[in-house]
Amino acid sequence: DGPVNLANLKEGMQQWLKDHNIKGYYAVAQNKDLSAGAKSCMTLSGLGKLSPNLVMMGFKGNWKEDLAGLNEYVEIMYTAFDLRLSFAILRCKEGLDFSSHIASEQQIVREVAVEKGEDSDGEEAKETTLAPESAKKKTRKVSTAVFRGSDGNRLENNVVASIQQFQATKRTGNIDVWWLYDDGGLTLLLPHIIKTRKQFKDCKIRVFSLANKASQLDLETRNLASMLSRFRIEYSDVTAVPDVTKKADAATKAEFDAMIAGVGIEEEELQSEREKTNRHLRLTEMLRQYSKESEMIVMTLPLPRRGHTSPALYTAWLDIMTKDMPPTLLIRGNQQSVLTFYS
C-alpha cells in the first residue's frame, strides 16, 4: 500500500507503551507481505540476551475466507521454529482484534491504597510520607482505559469486558493443561507462571495427558504426578486420558466435514491424514468433555508435516479443537528444557 512514516509510527508506539506503563522495546519494519514482515520482527526485536524467545499470534478466525493469507500465517510458525523460537497461538471466543470498535482510547491514572497482603503484580508501590508512622499506607498507580467508538460514546460494557478479559476479573476456576508432547516443558511452565498473577492466583491447575493403553492409566498418572512434584509445580489433579485412537463420534466427524467444505482440501490428502484427523477429533471430544467450563486451556500445539499437510487441513484441526471453548493457548517449545529440579 506504499511507504508509511516509520519514524512517526515508532514514536507513537513508544508513547503507547509509556501510557500503558509497559517497559519494553519496540521495533518497526516494512515489508511486502506478512510472513516476511514477521521474520523481520523476529530478528529485530529485543536487545542482545533480552531478545524474546517466543512468538505469539492470535488464531486466524477468517481462514476459510482468506486461504492465500493462511499460507503466510502458517509460514510464520515455520519461520519461528527455523529461528529456534517457541511459538504460541491464543484463541478467544470474541477474538483479539477490536480495532473496528475502538476510535479512541484514554488512560486515566490514579493512586489507590494497597490492601494488606495484596499483590500489586509488579506495579510500583510507595509509602505516603506526610503522615504519622502508624498511619502510613502503601499506594500503587492504577491505569484505567476508557474506550470510545466512532460516535464518541463509550463502548458497551460487554465489548470492554472482552477487551480487558485478561486484566480485570479475578478468576477462581481451573486452568487446564493438556500436555500432549514433551517440548521442553514450556506447556507446563507457562500455566505455573500465569497462576502467580493476581487475576489467576486462586485458580487450580489440572493436568491432562494421553495414555496409549487403558491398562497404563495408573502408571501414566503416577509418573506425571511425580514429575510435577520434582519440578515444584502445584497442581490439584492429574488425569491420564485413554482411547485417543478410538474412532471419533459421527456427529464430530460431520461437524468437521462441514467446516472443511469448499476450502480446496484434496481427497487424497484427507485419506493420507485420516488417522491424524481422527486423533484431533478425539481430542476435540475430550476437551469438550473435561475443559468446557475451565477458565483457561493451555495445550501443546500439534505440528503439521511441513510440505505434506496443507495449511487448510492443519488450521481446520486447530479450529475444531478450540471452537467455542474458553481462552485457549496452543504452545510449542523449541525443544530446549525450561524446567529444572534438584535431585
Side-chain angles (χ1 to χ4, degrees):
D1 294 333
V4 297
N5 191 320
L6 298 185
N8 286 349
L9 185 60
K10 186 171 184 178
E11 183 178 339
M13 189 62 198
Q14 286 295 160
Q15 186 60 47
W16 186 91
L17 292 173
K18 183 178 179 181
D19 291 342
H20 289 74
N21 197 28
I22 298 174
K23 298 177 181 178
Y25 301 99
Y26 174 74
V28 59
Q30 185 178 26
N31 294 87
K32 293 182 178 180
D33 55 69
L34 178 64
S35 57
K39 184 173 183 178
S40 296
C41 289
M42 294 179 209
T43 54
L44 285 172
S45 297
L47 186 65
K49 290 293 184 180
L50 295 178
S51 299
N53 57 4
L54 182 145
V55 175
M56 186 170 77
M57 298 179 65
F59 180 75
K60 187 173 176 62
N62 67 337
W63 65 272
K64 288 189 285 187
E65 293 79 35
D66 183 23
L67 294 175
L70 180 62
N71 293 329
E72 292 193 12
Y73 178 85
V74 175
E75 186 61 32
I76 293 172
M77 178 184 70
Y78 291 137
T79 299
F81 292 133
D82 290 342
L83 296 174
R84 299 188 62 80
L85 298 170
S86 301
F87 184 80
I89 296 175
L90 176 64
R91 183 176 193 181
C92 301
K93 287 181 183 179
E94 303 82 3
L96 297 169
D97 183 5
F98 296 92
S99 57
S100 61
H101 294 81
I102 303 172
S104 64
E105 177 185 356
Q106 178 186 3
Q107 291 292 320
I108 300 175
V109 181
R110 56 194 176 91
E111 287 194 2
V112 298
V114 178
E115 300 296 333
K116 187 175 181 180
E118 182 183 0
D119 179 13
S120 63
D121 265 1
E123 293 181 16
E124 185 178 351
K126 63 181 181 180
E127 290 187 357
T128 55
T129 56
L130 301 178
E133 187 71 26
S134 60
K136 284 184 178 180
K137 286 186 178 180
K138 284 187 177 181
T139 62
R140 62 188 177 97
K141 291 182 178 179
V142 174
S143 180
T144 304
V146 177
F147 301 102
R148 298 185 184 277
S150 56
D151 58 2
N153 295 324
R154 291 192 179 194
L155 297 184
E156 295 181 3
N157 290 339
N158 62 326
V159 177
V160 175
S162 298
I163 295 173
Q164 299 179 331
Q165 62 180 303
F166 295 113
Q167 300 175 16
T169 308
K170 191 172 184 180
R171 300 169 185 253
T172 56
N174 296 314
I175 299 175
D176 285 354
V177 181
W178 287 79
W179 193 46
L180 307 182
Y181 318 97
D182 184 4
D183 60 350
L186 195 60
T187 310
L188 293 170
L189 177 63
L190 279 186
H192 174 70
I193 294 174
I194 290 171
K195 195 177 180 302
T196 65
R197 309 305 290 173
K198 181 170 58 180
Q199 186 189 16
F200 290 95
K201 70 177 183 180
D202 293 329
C203 290
K204 296 178 180 179
I205 293 179
R206 302 190 303 180
V207 182
F208 297 86
S209 67
L210 303 180
N212 294 323
K213 299 178 181 178
S215 59
Q216 297 178 347
L217 284 179
D218 289 342
L219 178 61
E220 293 273 1
T221 301
R222 287 197 301 270
N223 288 343
L224 185 54
S226 174
M227 183 190 69
L228 292 170
S229 298
R230 291 204 314 271
F231 291 133
R232 305 181 300 283
I233 293 178
E234 295 182 7
Y235 63 92
S236 67
D237 194 23
V238 171
T239 304
V241 183
D243 299 331
V244 70
T245 56
K246 175 184 172 183
K247 188 174 181 180
D249 290 345
T252 310
K253 180 67 166 61
E255 181 184 350
F256 181 75
D257 289 342
M259 179 178 287
I260 63 174
V263 297
I265 301 175
E266 300 289 342
E267 183 63 30
E268 182 181 352
E269 181 185 9
L270 290 175
Q271 289 300 317
S272 65
E273 298 279 20
R274 63 183 181 276
E275 289 186 8
K276 280 193 174 182
T277 296
N278 185 76
R279 177 186 175 89
H280 289 98
L281 296 184
R282 283 290 295 136
L283 276 171
T284 299
E285 295 170 351
M286 294 174 181
L287 284 162
R288 293 174 180 178
Q289 177 183 352
Y290 291 100
S291 300
K292 186 73 173 178
E293 303 301 324
S294 64
E295 296 286 358
M296 188 175 192
I297 300 170
V298 181
M299 185 169 71
T300 313
L301 174 69
L303 293 184
R305 289 189 300 166
R306 194 171 188 174
H308 292 83
T309 306
S310 67
L313 180 59
Y314 173 61
T315 310
W317 291 342
L318 304 184
D319 194 352
I320 195 166
M321 286 194 297
T322 58
K323 179 184 176 184
D324 296 327
M325 294 296 286
T328 302
L329 181 65
L330 303 169
I331 185 162
R332 193 68 173 234
N334 60 1
Q335 304 303 319
Q336 293 183 350
S337 179
V338 297
L339 298 175
T340 58
F341 65 91
Y342 297 110
S343 58

